[in-house]
Amino acid sequence: MRYLLLLLSCCLLYACGTNQTQAQGKNTTKKSQPNIVVIYLDDLGYGDVGVYGADNLPTPNMDKLANGGVMFTDGYATSATCSPSRYALLTGSYPWRNKKAKILPGTAPLLIKTDQMTLPKMLKEKGYQTSVIGKWHLGLGSGLVNWNQNISPGPNEIGFDYSYIMAATQDRVPTVYIENGKVRNLDPNDPIEIDYKKNFEGQPTGLDNPELLKMGWHHGHNSSIVNGIPRIGYMKGGESARWVDENMADTFLVRAQNYIVEHKDEPFFLYYGMQQPHVPRTPHPRFVGKSGMGPRGDVIVEADWCVGELYKTLEKEGLLENTLIILTSDNGPVLNDGYNDDAVEKLGDHKPSGNLRGGKYSLFEAGTRVPFITYWKGAIQPQKSDALVCQVDLFSSIAALVGSKQRVADSEDLSDVFLGKSNNGRKNLVLEATTRTAFRQGTWVMIPPFRGQALNKKVNIETGNLTDFGLFNLADDIGQQNNLAKEQPEKLQEMIAAFEAIRGKDYKKNIQNLKLK
Ligand code: NG6
Ligand code: CA
């Protein structure tokens, strides 16, 4: 009888074991090839996430990732604006090496060369399925794009097997989704025309037709009107293809979820480019009023919900233990970025930049230091890390992780740091804001004295343009209040020399007319 019981329990154990493996799919057998999910928010500030100090803004799902993974306190985007940061994330190269890597209009040609090595290309070499869903903003085509034909080259030509994107930003035309090079729901009898310089005859604009607007513009953003929202650039036609702004979060989320379900049996890379909290901030009605901070807070709550839903999909498909999730933002925060949307008026005590100085477009810390979280259930021990890491490092780190030999010079293999096994981050980093560059080494930051206004009055953010060199020690001055350049001339010279060794000297073109040694 005892033997019979033993035999029975053995059978049961065996059956459970096989069931489990089956339920988890083939994917779990490839531990060396985890799925990679990059959740990339747009303009989410260092202080915009609960665990990073946003006490009044509920972000339980991002907090859950941070509390269950590595929460980096010293993590950076390369740049204080979108296109350059995205360029660096996907290529592993500093964007200032490419003169064209600036904020791009919706008509810009593809910024990444089709023969350039990219993160998705490298992963494809290792057998991954690759996808981009969400914001692109890296240019499309090679000249004047005809939006009514196959749009190429684009994401599919630089390594993505599947793409479902908005071309540029939510505030720029064309306001349509593009799936694998084709505008979705386009009626060939109503072709799309786009122009960034002049309007099409008879088309209303934000400037001339304020009566048609449901959201007012503050600066820029007064060209074509789509869904009552004035945009940057002029657009005609493509009525049936135009997106509904309030549905954008759901649209990208559902695509991303479907993609995961469809590819659960093979290693996949999902680059999920969320549009929040970039302008225009258009929460779905479900989220309106949820933050008490107006649309900017509401879309952060919405974005957080999306993160939670995506997580649930990975969980339901049994993929959490075989998926590295990386959540971060392309640049720092801005309140008034060109629309009258109460971001300033309803802010209350919330600090989008946390204790950092500056914000989007700024060379000060809040321009580039962003929330940065890695999460891999069972593989990463929960912890806070103060290692210096940057999105440019994801290329070589992920390559190392999946066993690829591809490396790009600017991109350091910090795979152990991203997995929480080491605290040995970068030694230094070149920071960029609207084509100006500064330098971080150890706990020090050196900012050359660039020409231009100290305050960007439109967005009310300090630019980081100083009248003389800036030298700050973040170890005891995270808010960059004490310029030590005069007090510590040797440290300053050491920083300038180390900076020039990487950056070269052409940054000097735009600096104040100082007598440099
Ligand atoms: C600026 C826009 C701003 C935003 C930014 C790009 C104006 C006045 N301002 O030129 O609203 O669209 O470009 O943001 O047009 S980013 O996050 O994509 O870099
Ligand atoms: Ca951005």
Side-chain angles (χ1 to χ4, degrees):
M1 183 63 190
R2 212 192 295 162
Y3 288 117
L4 202 70
L5 268 176
L6 196 71
L7 197 72
L8 208 76
S9 40
C10 278
C11 288
L12 260 172
L13 268 176
Y14 178 71
C16 287
T18 39
N19 268 347
Q20 208 175 359
T21 346
Q22 272 161 10
Q24 286 171 355
K26 273 186 264 167
N27 211 312
T28 46
T29 57
K30 296 174 186 162
K31 272 275 178 200
S32 60
Q33 289 193 301
N35 308 308
I36 313 282
V37 176
V38 173
I39 304 175
Y40 208 34
L41 285 108
D42 194 359
D43 298 3
L44 186 75
Y46 190 76
D48 276 327
V49 179
V51 284
Y52 283 86
D55 295 335
N56 304 326
L57 194 55
T59 59
N61 295 296
M62 296 191 225
D63 293 353
K64 183 172 162 180
L65 293 181
N67 290 329
V70 188
M71 173 186 156
F72 289 96
T73 56
D74 209 358
Y76 287 81
T78 56
S79 312
T81 54
C82 161
S83 308
S85 292
R86 283 162 208 262
Y87 177 85
L89 190 152
L90 291 182
T91 64
S93 286
Y94 276 133
W96 45 265
R97 294 195 194 279
N98 183 339
K99 294 265 179 296
K100 293 181 182 156
K102 303 177 190 165
I103 298 176
L104 299 176
T107 45
L110 183 63
L111 187 60
I112 299 173
K113 291 197 182 70
T114 50
D115 59 2
Q116 206 169 336
M117 186 33 74
T118 64
L119 183 55
K121 264 190 200 170
M122 177 275 291
L123 287 168
K124 257 165 86 85
E125 284 178 0
K126 297 303 288 181
Y128 277 71
Q129 284 292 318
T130 58
S131 63
V132 50
I133 295 169
K135 180 176 179 176
W136 180 240
H137 210 190
L138 285 165
L140 292 168
S142 45
L144 206 56
V145 170
N146 182 341
W147 302 92
N148 307 292
Q149 292 173 358
N150 190 39
I151 302 159
S152 172
N156 297 64
E157 284 68 40
I158 61 130
F160 288 105
D161 295 310
Y162 177 73
S163 64
Y164 190 99
I165 58 168
M166 65 161 137
T169 57
Q170 202 187 328
D171 53 353
R172 282 175 175 75
V173 298
T175 51
V176 295
Y177 299 119
I178 302 167
E179 185 178 33
N180 293 327
K182 292 211 173 56
V183 171
R184 294 267 309 171
N185 301 325
L186 180 63
D187 174 358
N189 298 317
D190 180 26
I192 295 173
E193 290 177 75
I194 301 291
D195 197 314
Y196 267 71
K197 294 214 174 79
K198 61 174 196 340
N199 192 15
F200 300 95
E201 223 184 299
Q203 299 294 307
T205 66
L207 192 62
D208 298 332
N209 305 86
E211 75 284 359
L212 299 178
L213 301 181
K214 68 178 179 193
M215 191 190 285
W217 55 275
H218 178 268
H219 56 275
H221 306 97
N222 56 20
S223 310
S224 284
I225 303 169
V226 180
N227 305 332
I229 302 172
R231 316 276 167 161
I232 307 174
Y234 301 99
M235 174 170 179
K236 190 182 171 195
E239 289 290 340
S240 59
R242 296 181 180 201
W243 65 49
V244 176
D245 292 82
E246 291 77 6
N247 292 342
M248 185 176 280
D250 288 341
T251 303
F252 287 145
L253 172 65
V254 168
R255 289 276 150 186
Q257 289 175 309
N258 288 347
Y259 181 83
I260 290 171
V261 174
E262 281 159 22
H263 295 87
K264 63 183 175 188
D265 290 333
E266 47 206 340
F268 64 81
F269 169 49
L270 166 63
Y271 170 55
Y272 178 32
M274 302 181 79
Q275 84 281 11
Q276 304 103 327
H278 194 284
V279 295
R281 295 150 183 152
T282 53
H284 187 274
R286 304 196 300 284
F287 296 96
V288 172
K290 285 287 182 279
S291 69
M293 288 179 202
R296 183 173 187 278
D298 293 349
V299 297
I300 293 177
V301 172
E302 177 188 67
D304 183 75
W305 176 83
C306 292
V307 170
E309 292 304 297
L310 197 82
Y311 182 95
K312 279 189 208 157
T313 301
L314 290 166
E315 188 172 43
K316 193 162 155 243
E317 299 302 331
L319 297 172
L320 275 184
E321 280 159 352
N322 196 32
T323 302
L324 170 63
I325 303 174
I326 298 157
L327 183 146
T328 185
S329 171
D330 66 342
N331 54 253
V334 53
L335 294 173
N336 181 344
D337 207 11
Y339 292 98
N340 296 320
D341 63 3
D342 279 348
V344 176
E345 294 78 358
K346 295 200 171 154
L347 187 65
D349 293 337
H350 178 59
K351 290 190 193 155
S353 298
N355 295 327
L356 309 178
R357 190 168 176 180
K360 184 175 180 177
Y361 312 111
S362 178
L363 261 186
F364 287 126
E365 282 296 285
T368 45
R369 197 193 287 220
V370 285
F372 203 134
I373 299 163
T374 55
Y375 178 97
W376 182 353
K377 194 177 177 191
I380 289 181
Q381 291 303 312
Q383 63 198 273
K384 241 188 199 178
S385 171
D386 60 2
L388 175 60
V389 298
C390 179
Q391 290 158 11
V392 76
D393 301 318
L394 290 175
F395 180 93
S396 293
S397 305
I398 293 174
L401 186 70
V402 304
S404 162
K405 291 199 171 60
Q406 298 282 4
R407 295 291 183 275
V408 177
D410 295 331
S411 177
E412 295 187 16
D413 169 9
L414 302 179
S415 46
D416 282 349
V417 180
F418 287 126
L419 296 183
K421 294 178 189 158
S422 158
N423 209 32
N424 252 335
R426 299 181 72 94
K427 300 275 179 288
N428 59 41
L429 178 66
V430 177
L431 303 170
E432 190 206 44
T434 56
T435 71
R436 300 156 299 149
T437 41
F439 190 57
R440 165 83 187 264
Q441 183 155 267
T443 61
W444 293 84
V445 171
M446 183 280 296
I447 304 181
F450 289 104
R451 281 192 283 257
Q453 294 294 319
L455 182 73
N456 179 337
K457 292 203 184 93
K458 285 180 180 155
V459 294
N460 196 25
I461 292 173
E462 288 185 289
T463 56
N465 292 332
L466 305 169
T467 49
D468 208 333
F469 276 94
L471 181 68
F472 304 95
N473 188 354
L474 302 177
D476 52 20
D477 181 23
I478 192 80
Q480 297 180 297
Q481 295 300 313
N482 304 315
N483 187 351
L484 301 173
K486 292 229 158 60
E487 250 170 70
Q488 304 224 27
E490 280 170 21
K491 187 75 195 171
L492 178 64
Q493 289 311 319
E494 178 197 317
M495 292 290 285
I496 294 174
F499 174 59
E500 288 183 355
I502 300 169
R503 176 72 180 89
K505 296 200 179 197
D506 77 328
Y507 75 94
K508 285 191 176 175
K509 282 193 306 247
N510 301 319
I511 68 176
Q512 306 269 6
N513 201 8
L514 299 173
K515 282 190 191 116
L516 292 169
K517 280 187 203 151

